[in-house]
């Protein structure tokens, strides 16, 4: 008997079409999940063992006005490049497959996988996190970066303070050299002699001033007498004045004028000596004042240098939490956190 043909229902046709699609989708999903490898992260933490230690982790050039304390925690563009170069120069890093795979762009790849962050709530902690496709590499890179950072920044911090101390020492040495020159001038034998000359010249100048005053009075009296005699000679009602009287008074007046000229000359010479001596004595007093000031300043510098010396080694960076384990991560787009 012939078999009767039964037309499939629409539901059956749809099921047979859906099953291959589902199988193909599951196969593609499994392939995608297994073909995209996971990545690993590791982190190392360092601590700045110093009060008021503020990390600076901005990827930007350092502030021109940054204080020497800021060098304890810094990670700017230039320093980051130097840091990565130092890390990649380590023999243990060069032995990694991660490095040997492409040494020429290792610096760029390290920059891409490295993250430097402050530890939240801990201003004296700085974390170095790495993200690569191999757990051993992630741990090695995190620890290497932290160790190089500690070495370089500690050296930079110490160098900055040692440079500061050297500047202060140079200032002190220059002041001591100036002090020697000042002392030689202060103790110069000319100064006591010049001081004695000033004490001798002062009463001489006073005596000449008194002599000049007396000569001016005599000159005035003589001129008055001459004027009276001249008036008598010109008056016809009075007796004649003897010529000898005129001659005598004129000779006296000429002698007084000559003496006044000599006194003025002597006074000018003594006044010049007094002025020069006074100027030198002012310089002498100024040098004495400067010498005393420099002595105090040198003493203050000595105290400051001794106080600042410990600061060169006071700030220490310590690797308090080295990277020991790497955490495994999957791409964020994997649905439902499925692990394959």
């Amino acid at each position: 008997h012939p078999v009767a043909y039964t037309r499939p229902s629409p539901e059956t046709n749809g099921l047979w079409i859906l099953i291959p699609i589902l199988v193909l989708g599951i196969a593609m999903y499994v392939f995608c999940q297994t073909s995209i490898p996971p990545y690993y992260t590791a982190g190392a933490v360092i601590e700045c063992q110093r009060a008021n230690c503020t990390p600076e982790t901005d990827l930007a050039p350092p502030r021109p006005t940054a204080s020497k304390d800021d060098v304890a925690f810094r990670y700017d563009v230039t320093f980051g490049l130097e840091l990565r170069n130092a890390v990649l120069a380590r023999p243990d890093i060069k032995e990694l497959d991660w490095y040997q795979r492409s040494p020429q762009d290792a610096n760029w790849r390290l920059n891409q996988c490295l993250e430097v962050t402050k530890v939240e709530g801990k201003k004296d902690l700085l974390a170095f996190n790495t993200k690569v496709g191999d757990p051993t590499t992630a741990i090695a890179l995190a620890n290497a970066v932290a160790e190089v950072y500690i070495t370089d920044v500690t050296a930079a911090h110490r160098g900055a303070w040692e440079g500061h101390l050297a500047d202060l020492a140079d200032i002190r040495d220059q002041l001591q050299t100036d002090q020697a020159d000042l002392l030689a001038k202060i103790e110069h034998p000319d100064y006591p002699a010049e001081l004695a000359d000033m004490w001798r010249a002062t009463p001489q100048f006073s005596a000449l001033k008194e002599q000049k005053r007396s000569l001016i009075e005599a000159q005035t009296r003589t001129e008055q007498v001459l004027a009276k005699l001249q008036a008598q000679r010109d008056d016809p009602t009075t007796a004649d004045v003897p010529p000898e009287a005129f001659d005598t008074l004129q000779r006296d007046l000429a002698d007084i004028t000559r003496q006044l000229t000599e006194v003025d000359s002597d006074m000018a010479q003594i006044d010049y000596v007094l002025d020069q001596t006074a100027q030198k004595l002012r310089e002498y007093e100024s040098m004495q004042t400067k010498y005393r000031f420099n002595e105090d300043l040198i003493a203050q510098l000595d105290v400051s240098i001794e106080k600042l010396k410990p600061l060169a080694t006071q700030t220490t960076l310590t690797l308090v939490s080295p990277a020991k384990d790497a955490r495994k991560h999957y791409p964020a787009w994997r649905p439902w956190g499925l692990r394959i």
Side-chain angles (χ1 to χ4, degrees):
H1 299 282
V3 178
Y5 172 75
T6 304
R7 180 183 294 275
S9 65
E11 292 81 1
T12 304
N13 287 336
L15 181 61
W16 282 105
I17 295 173
L18 182 60
I19 288 174
I21 294 176
L22 290 175
V23 172
L24 180 61
I26 292 173
M28 292 179 62
Y29 177 78
V30 171
F31 173 77
C32 292
Q33 294 295 314
T34 56
S35 63
I36 300 177
Y39 63 87
Y40 298 85
T41 60
V45 179
I46 67 172
E47 178 184 14
C48 177
Q49 296 175 345
R50 175 175 61 82
N52 299 324
C53 188
T54 303
E56 285 195 347
T57 57
D58 296 334
L59 297 179
R63 299 191 303 272
T65 57
S67 67
K68 297 188 186 301
D69 289 341
D70 294 334
V71 77
F73 272 143
R74 66 192 186 102
Y75 189 83
D76 52 63
V77 173
T78 303
F79 181 74
L81 178 62
E82 297 172 354
L83 178 72
R84 294 192 299 274
N85 287 334
V87 170
L88 296 174
R90 288 169 55 124
D92 58 331
I93 300 300
K94 289 184 176 181
E95 293 176 358
L96 296 174
D97 293 337
W98 175 88
Y99 178 84
Q100 295 179 359
R101 183 170 67 248
S102 181
Q104 62 273 13
D105 65 347
N107 195 302
W108 179 83
R109 288 186 290 120
L110 179 57
N111 186 41
Q112 296 299 311
C113 74
L114 175 63
E115 182 183 21
V116 184
T117 60
K118 292 180 288 185
V119 177
E120 186 176 357
K122 300 289 186 179
K123 68 177 183 178
D124 55 350
L125 296 180
L126 195 64
F128 298 87
N129 301 313
T130 55
K131 181 175 69 174
V132 292
D134 175 64
T136 304
T137 302
I139 295 172
L141 289 177
N143 288 331
V145 172
E147 291 168 3
V148 171
Y149 185 93
I150 289 173
T151 301
D152 288 0
V153 172
T154 300
H157 180 268
R158 184 170 301 175
W161 275 109
E162 288 177 351
H164 184 52
L165 288 171
D167 292 341
L168 292 179
D170 290 342
I171 295 174
R172 180 195 58 191
D173 295 342
Q174 184 60 49
L175 284 174
Q176 289 175 340
T177 302
D178 294 344
Q179 287 296 82
D181 294 340
L182 284 174
L183 187 61
K185 294 178 180 178
I186 291 172
E187 295 179 347
H188 196 279
D190 288 348
Y191 283 108
E194 290 171 351
L195 183 61
D197 289 343
M198 181 178 180
W199 285 109
R200 285 195 299 270
T202 300
Q204 292 177 3
F205 189 79
S206 300
L208 287 173
K209 286 179 64 176
E210 182 63 26
Q211 182 181 356
K212 181 178 181 179
R213 186 186 64 80
S214 300
L215 288 171
I216 291 175
E217 291 178 353
Q219 184 184 45
T220 302
R221 288 195 301 270
T222 303
E223 289 175 347
Q224 290 175 351
V225 172
L226 279 174
K228 290 181 179 179
L229 291 178
Q230 185 65 40
Q232 290 179 5
R233 174 181 285 185
D234 296 337
D235 187 358
T237 61
T238 60
D240 292 337
V241 178
E244 296 81 5
F246 273 100
D247 295 340
T248 301
L249 288 175
Q250 288 176 347
R251 285 194 300 270
D252 291 343
L253 185 61
D255 185 60
I256 292 173
T257 303
R258 178 186 57 77
Q259 292 183 50
L260 280 173
T261 302
E262 293 176 354
V263 169
D264 285 337
S265 177
D266 293 341
M267 288 182 65
Q269 293 179 4
I270 294 177
D271 186 62
Y272 176 79
V273 172
L274 288 175
D275 183 68
Q276 293 296 311
T277 304
Q279 182 177 350
K280 291 181 179 179
L281 289 177
R282 286 193 296 270
E283 294 175 357
Y284 179 75
E285 292 175 356
S286 175
M287 287 188 292
Q288 286 183 319
T289 302
K290 186 177 180 180
Y291 185 86
R292 290 191 297 268
F293 176 80
N294 287 349
E295 283 290 296
D296 294 339
L297 186 55
I298 289 173
Q300 294 175 11
L301 285 172
D302 288 335
V303 173
S304 298
I305 290 173
E306 291 303 317
K307 287 183 178 180
L308 292 176
K309 280 182 179 179
L311 294 179
T313 56
Q314 182 179 12
T315 298
T316 57
L317 301 178
T318 307
L319 184 60
V320 293
S321 179
K324 298 179 180 179
D325 301 314
R327 297 182 60 185
K328 187 176 183 180
H329 303 269
Y330 291 89
W333 59 267
R334 288 175 180 262
W336 314 298
L338 182 63
R339 301 294 184 263
I340 297 178

